[in-house]
Amino acid sequence: MARKGTVLTSMLLGTVLLASACSSGSSSNGQAGNTGPAESSGSGSKPTVEVRWMRGENPAQAIKQDTPVIREILAKTGVKINMEPVPGSNYEDKKRALLATNNIPDIIGVSASDAAEFATTGMFLAISDYFDRMPNFQKVMETNPEIKKLFIDGKLYSLPIAEHFKIQGGKAPMIRTDILEKLDLAVPTTFDELYDTLKKMKEAYPDSYPFSSRGIPAFLDAFAFGMGGGFGMTYDDQAGTYFYGQNKPEFKEVLTYLNKLYSEGLLDPDFAVNTKQNWDEKMSTGRSFFYYDNNSFAVNYTAALQQTEPGAKFDRIPYLKNSKGEIRGWLYPKGWLVDNYAISSKTKDPEAVIAMFDWMYGEEGTNVTNYGIEGETFEIVDGQAQITEATLEKYKGSTDPARVMLSEIGAGLLALSVHVDEGPFKQLSDPNLVRWGEELVNDPGARYAPALAPAFTAEESKLIKGLTSKIAPLEEDVVKFILGIKPLSEFDQWAEQLTKAGSDQLESIYNEALKRVQ
């Protein structure tokens, strides 16, 4: 699938804030790898290794100490985890300070780019040196070849957060199907039909702006890909190469289409500057009827609308056919591979920490780190872990039942799972969200976005930074073309400026790095 990481924004999309954190040890000076003394575990069968684990804390799910999951990890692996959560808003600064001074805890949450930047410093344990002891992780790697992009000079220095099961999401066309029914309109199947539909919606609701967005990067990558082009550095899964989207002829068609919507009042005039908050307000109060973005947002929009309009409903429609006769849409990547955990090279018992992580990637560890304790919080039904009815009942009155439950259990993506299973969310989610996930996977035009860009050398990263600084100011003209401030007759000249600024060089760098991975 084609995934567009624009040069203006991060290569990766994303969906969940996942900043990882540091574990707590017994030493007073805060040095990494200060594990506690060996002692017998609660079962008396395994020695205890105490580690500090630092990660970012998402405001949606508090990280707690001494949870059932942490106790079960100790019982099963002999590793006692001391969590050191850092508020997500402060995590980047705290992490960078520790990395800069080589003063990291035993386990620290890092990004893929952090791992690449600091891999050669000797700060991180080389995970690949222990592959002969990691059968579970090797199975995970076999099912997700993109993990190879995390290798630096042939070695792996961080452990990615992989996917066991996820309620699939994507940037998808979402529309008020109740209004389609009210106006006796067919579900649009092409971009031309979408224009006709938005026009009829505007005629029926003249004060509306049928199509709205939460800014350019939030929708234009997927939208341009759907129309047959790209936005920023885009992966062409059919050719197996990257290309830069804005200076290609297909992008002129995208700009022409959006300029037409804007000039006719079909596109929200604030499309480029909307914050998530004011965009949510427009979608939730009937001021706009269509978006091309994260499908899961529609659950809340429908709930808000139905407070005053019981029949109001946003629903997913299939990906649209473009002028080339192609249907192209992208799903969010498999796993959360941009989010990794690095192990300090100073940790006192690396074998024990490696064994713990491999257990977490295995079936038993996956169940524990996502569902809690078998027989207490979950049971196995037809071979699949499920949260027990008693546990669901305990939390169903909470504002956010799944995350409150997972916080107390100490489980899931926002706790310490490295092989994430979103089964608990499936049990507690709006049925539409689950249905949309199944429909997205089965949509004939859907493709998975790559989770990662290929690993770059230090020299390549320096070149990319320099080229991006030249290209980024020119990219600001995208909004000007859509608003009509810059005439589309100047597109070819602008495209040539992007090429001269180095977009072709960017393509070469990305593709050379990709060849190394392959």
Side-chain angles (χ1 to χ4, degrees):
M1 130 158 222
R3 171 174 194 262
K4 342 208 148 322
T6 158
V7 176
L8 289 169
T9 61
S10 154
M11 269 295 294
L12 303 164
L13 321 154
T15 23
V16 175
L17 170 66
L18 223 165
S20 307
C22 316
S23 329
S24 78
S26 56
S27 125
S28 59
N29 63 9
Q31 289 296 317
N34 293 316
T35 58
E39 57 187 48
S40 64
S41 69
S43 65
S45 61
K46 295 184 178 71
T48 296
V49 175
E50 193 167 349
V51 297
R52 302 166 53 213
W53 184 324
M54 180 179 120
R55 63 148 299 154
E57 184 176 50
N58 191 302
Q61 182 177 324
I63 294 175
K64 299 184 178 183
Q65 301 285 356
D66 194 32
T67 62
V69 167
I70 288 177
R71 293 195 295 271
E72 191 72 353
I73 291 173
L74 171 60
K76 296 293 185 180
T77 71
V79 177
K80 181 181 179 182
I81 298 170
N82 295 304
M83 295 299 294
E84 293 182 4
V86 177
S89 58
N90 300 327
Y91 186 72
E92 186 65 22
D93 290 341
K94 175 71 178 288
K95 175 189 68 176
R96 296 297 295 187
L98 294 176
L99 291 171
T101 57
N102 192 6
N103 185 25
I104 62 173
D106 299 281
I107 303 166
I108 183 170
V110 295
S111 67
S113 58
D114 292 329
E117 181 179 352
F118 292 93
T120 59
T121 65
M123 190 185 312
F124 301 151
L125 193 71
I127 308 298
S128 47
D129 289 351
Y130 298 84
F131 275 175
D132 60 337
R133 307 180 192 190
M134 305 184 74
N136 293 317
F137 179 63
Q138 291 205 54
K139 289 178 183 177
V140 170
M141 287 183 62
E142 288 171 6
T143 62
N144 197 334
E146 268 214 273
I147 292 174
K148 293 178 182 178
K149 292 180 181 178
L150 295 170
F151 280 66
I152 310 297
D153 296 330
K155 285 183 176 283
L156 182 68
Y157 292 92
S158 60
L159 290 160
I161 296 178
E163 171 189 332
H164 181 64
F165 166 74
K166 177 165 69 174
I167 299 175
Q168 186 60 56
K171 291 191 177 181
M174 307 296 294
I175 201 165
R176 284 280 300 274
T177 51
D178 61 303
I179 292 181
L180 293 182
E181 294 171 6
K182 187 181 296 184
L183 301 179
D184 195 24
L185 300 174
V187 171
T189 61
T190 69
F191 282 92
D192 287 340
E193 289 177 7
L194 174 63
Y195 163 76
D196 293 334
T197 298
L198 297 175
K199 192 173 181 68
K200 288 173 182 175
M201 286 178 161
K202 178 73 172 182
E203 291 170 357
Y205 301 92
D207 293 333
S208 72
Y209 291 102
F211 183 179
S212 187
S213 75
R214 55 176 174 138
I216 283 285
F219 87 98
L220 193 50
D221 50 2
F223 196 84
F225 174 59
M227 289 195 72
F231 180 62
M233 292 307 302
T234 303
Y235 182 67
D236 182 341
D237 62 316
Q238 294 181 340
T241 57
Y242 283 93
F243 69 93
Y244 178 80
Q246 279 95 309
N247 63 344
K248 303 298 186 290
E250 292 84 356
F251 195 66
K252 183 175 183 180
E253 181 182 351
V254 175
L255 294 175
T256 301
Y257 185 91
L258 291 172
N259 171 257
K260 183 178 181 181
L261 296 186
Y262 174 80
S263 63
E264 296 184 22
L266 310 181
L267 178 63
D268 180 1
D270 298 324
F271 72 93
V273 296
N274 277 327
T275 63
K276 176 64 164 57
Q277 184 177 9
N278 61 32
W279 181 60
D280 287 345
E281 192 271 337
K282 291 176 181 181
M283 306 308 296
S284 300
T285 57
R287 293 166 63 188
S288 294
F289 312 128
F290 174 83
Y291 73 87
Y292 203 114
D293 200 336
N294 189 324
N295 63 285
S296 69
F297 297 151
V299 171
N300 290 335
Y301 298 154
T302 293
L305 286 162
Q306 288 183 352
Q307 292 180 14
T308 54
E309 293 183 73
K313 182 175 70 171
F314 270 95
D315 209 343
R316 190 196 80 91
I317 61 174
Y319 286 114
L320 302 166
K321 184 180 293 185
N322 59 38
S323 62
K324 299 178 181 179
E326 302 171 330
I327 300 175
R328 308 194 331 165
W330 58 267
L331 309 180
Y332 288 130
K334 290 186 176 182
W336 294 264
L337 303 187
V338 288
D339 300 298
N340 292 241
Y341 290 113
I343 301 171
S344 170
S345 60
K346 298 178 184 178
T347 196
K348 286 188 176 179
D349 195 338
E351 291 83 2
V353 179
I354 287 289
M356 176 195 71
F357 272 110
D358 193 60
W359 175 82
M360 292 169 69
Y361 282 109
E363 181 178 359
E364 184 180 47
T366 296
N367 285 342
V368 168
T369 56
N370 291 286
Y371 292 85
I373 311 302
E374 185 174 1
E376 295 181 18
T377 58
F378 80 91
E379 58 191 352
I380 302 296
V381 179
D382 297 328
Q384 172 61 47
Q386 288 189 6
I387 298 293
T388 64
E389 287 299 323
T391 305
L392 294 175
E393 184 69 22
K394 179 180 177 181
Y395 295 102
K396 72 176 185 180
S398 304
T399 305
D400 189 346
R403 289 194 174 91
V404 171
M405 175 186 69
L406 292 173
S407 175
E408 293 200 4
I409 294 173
L413 174 69
L414 301 183
L416 44 64
S417 177
V418 290
H419 199 203
V420 177
D421 186 326
E422 291 191 334
F425 284 95
K426 182 176 180 180
Q427 289 182 256
L428 290 161
S429 291
D430 185 299
N432 286 317
L433 191 61
V434 177
R435 171 175 62 86
W436 293 333
E438 294 169 350
E439 291 175 353
L440 282 167
V441 170
N442 292 314
D443 191 301
R447 309 172 194 181
Y448 285 100
L452 300 166
F456 302 112
T457 65
E459 180 62 26
E460 287 170 341
S461 295
K462 184 178 179 181
L463 286 171
I464 289 172
K465 185 175 181 181
L467 293 170
T468 299
S469 67
K470 297 176 182 178
I471 292 170
L474 293 169
E475 291 180 321
E476 295 175 4
D477 286 349
V478 167
V479 175
K480 296 178 183 177
F481 279 118
I482 296 173
L483 297 179
I485 296 172
K486 193 175 183 73
L488 286 161
S489 59
E490 296 181 13
F491 175 84
D492 292 342
Q493 179 184 355
W494 176 71
E496 181 60 27
Q497 289 176 318
L498 286 168
T499 302
K500 288 180 179 179
S503 61
D504 287 356
Q505 290 174 263
L506 271 182
E507 291 178 357
S508 296
I509 293 170
Y510 269 75
N511 288 316
E512 284 301 314
L514 184 62
K515 286 179 184 178
R516 289 197 301 270
V517 172
Q518 294 169 336

